[in-house]
Amino acid sequence: AAGNEDTAIDVTIPNRFGNDLIIRDYGPGMSVDFVKEVYVTYAESTKRDSNEQTGMWGLGSKSAYAYSDTFQVISYYQGVKHIWLAQSQPDGSGSFTLISSTPTDEPSGVAICVSIVSNQDIKKFRDGIRHYSRFLDVPVKINSDICNGDGTQYRAQLGDIAYSFVSDPKKQ
């Protein structure tokens, strides 16, 4: 996350207890106007003046549409939690609606929340995130475990209790 490269990105991978994929960073967050600018306009990018970042076409912020017609963007900015609903319309256009703004003590940053519809897709997302997160320059914390890219560490949570296990008992 911008200005906070040492803090892990939190990724919540869906499981049978919840179907939301949530990716949360701890950067500066985004103001209401900035969210509108980035998420509503195609070819709008915050990376045009930098050779240090990938992007500049303004598509990354819309990538959740590749999977779902609906997703949430949550910005934690200057003590306020703004929740946006992004929806694809039948005519191919999109809508982006601010659904709530509430005070918060949570750290600044942004979260993207996409509902995953099938168990097969959950497995694909889980495997893909575990594989590709090892190529990032920032740590990725997956369901409370720091992922080092070996793909063997998992955690199941029931209520407030988390149970850790590995995917292959021979690797214990």
Side-chain angles (χ1 to χ4, degrees):
N4 207 1
E5 290 83 10
D6 295 332
T7 302
I9 295 171
D10 288 337
V11 178
T12 302
I13 298 174
N15 55 45
R16 70 173 114 167
F17 305 109
N19 66 337
D20 290 334
L21 169 66
I22 304 168
I23 301 170
R24 166 82 153 95
D25 74 27
Y26 295 91
M30 295 188 286
S31 69
V32 169
D33 289 336
F34 190 73
V35 169
K36 286 184 204 175
E37 180 181 321
V38 170
Y39 279 90
V40 175
T41 308
Y42 278 100
E44 182 63 38
S45 176
T46 60
K47 299 172 182 149
R48 290 196 191 281
D49 299 326
S50 172
N51 289 327
E52 302 296 316
Q53 297 175 306
T54 302
M56 85 173 221
W57 295 105
L59 299 176
S61 60
K62 289 91 175 165
S63 60
Y65 281 125
Y67 180 79
S68 178
D69 291 337
T70 304
F71 63 96
Q72 288 185 347
V73 176
I74 305 164
S75 179
Y76 304 86
Y77 181 73
Q78 296 183 348
V80 180
K81 177 181 177 179
H82 303 284
I83 301 176
W84 297 83
L85 181 63
Q87 291 182 299
S88 178
Q89 302 301 313
D91 66 359
S93 66
S95 66
F96 201 74
T97 307
L98 179 63
I99 56 176
S100 73
S101 294
T102 56
T104 185
D105 292 333
E106 294 186 59
S108 294
V110 174
I112 306 299
C113 180
V114 182
S115 292
I116 308 303
V117 295
S118 77
N119 287 335
Q120 290 175 338
D121 289 347
I122 289 171
K123 181 181 178 348
K124 288 177 186 176
F125 274 100
R126 183 189 65 226
D127 293 347
I129 289 166
R130 289 196 176 281
H131 175 76
Y132 290 106
S133 64
R134 65 185 170 174
F135 300 108
L136 297 176
D137 292 334
V138 296
V140 176
K141 192 184 332 177
I142 299 175
N143 292 13
S144 301
D145 291 332
I146 297 292
C147 182
N148 60 6
D150 67 5
T152 59
Q153 190 173 27
Y154 296 88
R155 179 173 291 209
Q157 185 163 344
L158 301 172
D160 291 332
I161 301 171
Y163 301 91
S164 294
F165 58 96
V166 293
S167 60
D168 183 352
K170 296 175 197 164
K171 294 180 181 180
Q172 289 185 359

